[in-house]
DNA sequence: TTCGGCGAATTGGTATTACCAGAAAGTTTC
DNA sequence: GAAACTTTCTGGTAATACCAATTCGCCGAA
């Protein structure tokens, strides 16, 4: 099996082969620590030459996915999905808490920098969320765009990138994506209202109001998240986050 | 020239060769857009076989450093030093402003989560700054450790990573490093006092005081930064940042 | 002179074969 | 049963050949 027919053949052979091997890693066929077939065997199986197999394996090696031991074989070092960048495995709660802190300040700074053109752009994004209500993916995208647009208004690349990164982490965390989807379903209207409140604060160029509105919005998201967590019977997780939430709410009240 | 003697030969040949090519890219011999010698030429020059040359080039290609065009050659796509992660070119002002916003919240959250053990650890770090006064690198390192320790106390990995990333960006920005070094020289004692103020707020478990102390500290850093910028006769930059600073100060007053 | 096209030279893409060195497993020997 | 040897398997590297895509110069036509 696994002949040349499996290869897409738009790229070079080694790239196709690397992609195929990547897919096999993702499929769980070769768990971390296991050994890949010998180069000669892979060459036979995929009907390519051994140099081509070596090129594909080197491509995986450079990416840190496999480790080649001379005379022994190529061993799986890391699975494709497991990013090596730190902070990949953050909980949905941590991500949203971080957004609550950072995006609140982002909104406050944005209120001091915002222009009329910015406001017009953000108005469109607020509308889009309401319009794309029917399509879950659509609202997800529009929601992201709204928050990133505000971060962009700060005119601070470091601030923008930090917040964008939080969204990227959320996208790459299956748990977070799942929880947010569950949490958002019944909440599209409140989200629009809360976004509008932030927009109003920006219009008024009032940083404190913008911070408060953004924090109120993300506090609501956090609440929804905890509710969704509870629904999924993650009782243990809820216990920990609940205590934490109360402690933080009590301290900042 | 450039015989096998250039290769370190501890690793596999393709790795040595890739390292040699990387060094040549860094040396500016092959600027972005230029073409590398043909595989056959490289094989002759480095006294290796063409498959080995191909493996090395593929290693560079996977890293996004070169782009191989069939029938044409391998072209330099990106230089080794130039990180492709976004936000690499942020100004020192942007970085410190972002820290002012984010680390203020980090300190506030930390004040709600801090334990006695955390406080003991941070006390040591505050002391180290005063002690390592003579060694610029030492104070730089101790300064970083202090701020990251507080971020760690939040128990929020997303928060910690975001702040750590800001420090990493600062380290990789020559301009920021230079400016901070100039700005810090006469300010070690104030820094220790400001850090102590943050520590006191943590001891009191007072998030609002912690936020205020951290923001005051980073505001002072920002002032020093602007002063250093001025000293370096970056009048134009100062004009932009000055106006920005005033607008933000006026709005949040 | 200029422009278009054709063809040779160059370059990367891939396959084949061969041999070496390190590692692992099996066998023999004590 | 354990140690030493031997066989076998594995990756590392080299050499060669041929194909396909590109490039570029030559040449002829306008």
């Amino acid at each position: 099996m696994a002949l040349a027919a499996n290869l897409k053949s738009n790229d070079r052979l080694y790239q196709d082969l690397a992609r195929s091997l990547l897919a096999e890693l993702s499929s769980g066929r070769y768990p971390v620590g296991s050994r890949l077939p010998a180069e000669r065997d892979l060459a036979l199986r995929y009907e390519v030459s051994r140099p081509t197999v070596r090129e594909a394996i080197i491509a995986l090696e450079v990416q840190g996915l496999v480790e080649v031991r001379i005379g022994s074989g190529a061993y799986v070092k890391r699975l494709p999905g497991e990013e090596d960048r730190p902070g990949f495995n953050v909980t949905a709660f941590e991500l949203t808490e971080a957004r609550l802190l950072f995006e609140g300040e982002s909104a406050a700074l944005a209120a001091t920098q915002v222009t009329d053109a910015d406001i017009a752009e953000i108005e469109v994004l607020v509308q889009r969320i309401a319009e794309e209500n029917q399509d879950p993916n659509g609202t997800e995208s529009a929601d992201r765009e709204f928050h990133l647009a505000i971060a962009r208004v700060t005119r601070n690349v470091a601030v923008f990138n930090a917040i964008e990164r939080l969204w990227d982490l959320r996208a790459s965390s299956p748990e977070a994506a799942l929880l947010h989807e569950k949490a958002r379903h019944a909440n599209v209207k409140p989200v629009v209202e809360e976004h509008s409140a932030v927009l109003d604060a920006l219009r008024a160029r009032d940083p404190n109001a913008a911070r408060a509105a953004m924090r109120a919005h993300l506090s609501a998201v956090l609440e929804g998240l905890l509710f969704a967590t509870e629904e999924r019977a993650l009782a243990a997780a809820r216990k920990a986050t609940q205590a934490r939430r109360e402690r933080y709410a009590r301290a900042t009240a």
Side-chain angles (χ1 to χ4, degrees), chain A:
Chain A
M1 325 313 122
L3 307 180
N6 282 7
L7 308 179
K8 304 196 175 177
S9 73
N10 277 338
D11 298 325
R12 283 176 282 166
L13 268 186
Y14 96 82
Q15 293 175 336
D16 288 331
L17 180 53
R19 207 186 345 265
S20 292
L21 292 177
L22 216 69
E24 296 221 56
L25 292 189
S26 298
S27 76
R29 175 164 181 180
Y30 299 112
V32 172
S34 66
R35 211 203 69 170
L36 260 53
E39 293 179 354
R40 291 168 177 84
D41 293 339
L42 285 175
L44 284 177
R45 219 198 289 184
Y46 285 93
E47 294 181 346
V48 295
S49 67
R50 188 150 88 97
T52 300
V53 172
R54 286 184 55 76
E55 291 173 356
I57 288 181
I58 283 174
L60 298 182
E61 188 181 25
V62 170
Q63 295 178 64
L65 295 172
V66 302
E67 175 190 354
V68 177
R69 298 180 204 155
I70 301 178
S72 178
Y75 294 82
V76 179
K77 193 174 173 186
R78 169 171 73 82
L79 257 38
E82 301 173 1
E83 303 292 335
D84 57 351
R85 48 179 179 175
F88 180 72
N89 283 323
V90 295
T91 65
F93 178 86
E94 283 175 307
L95 274 178
T96 306
E97 185 178 57
R99 287 182 50 210
L100 169 63
L101 301 182
F102 293 171
E103 292 203 35
E105 297 308 304
S106 166
L109 180 56
T112 71
Q113 309 284 334
V114 70
T115 67
D116 290 340
D118 296 329
I119 290 176
E121 182 188 343
I122 295 173
E123 280 172 347
V124 174
L125 294 174
V126 172
Q127 284 303 318
R128 262 186 46 198
I129 296 178
E131 293 167 0
E132 295 177 356
N133 191 349
Q134 60 279 12
D135 179 9
N137 292 328
T139 54
E140 172 72 20
S141 160
D143 191 21
R144 173 192 165 103
E145 289 309 315
F146 170 80
H147 285 271
L148 291 188
I150 289 177
R152 211 185 324 266
V153 168
T154 65
R155 266 80 180 173
N156 184 314
V157 178
V159 168
F160 175 79
N161 280 325
I163 291 174
E164 186 184 34
R165 185 178 152 80
L166 291 178
W167 281 86
D168 288 343
L169 283 175
R170 168 175 156 177
S172 57
S173 161
E175 181 229 359
L178 221 67
L179 279 176
H180 276 100
E181 188 172 3
K182 281 184 79 75
R184 189 170 359 94
H185 263 243
N187 298 7
V188 175
K189 277 155 217 154
V191 164
V192 174
E193 289 171 8
E194 290 156 14
H195 281 194
S196 297
V198 175
L199 181 56
D200 287 339
L202 290 183
R203 279 205 198 88
R205 267 79 175 173
D206 184 341
N208 293 322
R211 179 190 293 110
M214 182 62 87
R215 289 180 78 117
H217 168 46
L218 289 172
S219 291
V221 172
L222 208 52
E223 289 293 329
L225 201 58
L226 292 172
F227 185 72
T229 303
E230 189 175 10
E231 271 196 333
R232 288 182 68 211
L234 295 178
R238 182 172 189 278
K239 184 177 156 197
T241 54
Q242 176 74 15
R244 182 193 181 89
R245 176 182 56 154
E246 284 173 354
R247 189 151 41 132
Y248 184 69
R250 187 168 56 243
T252 57

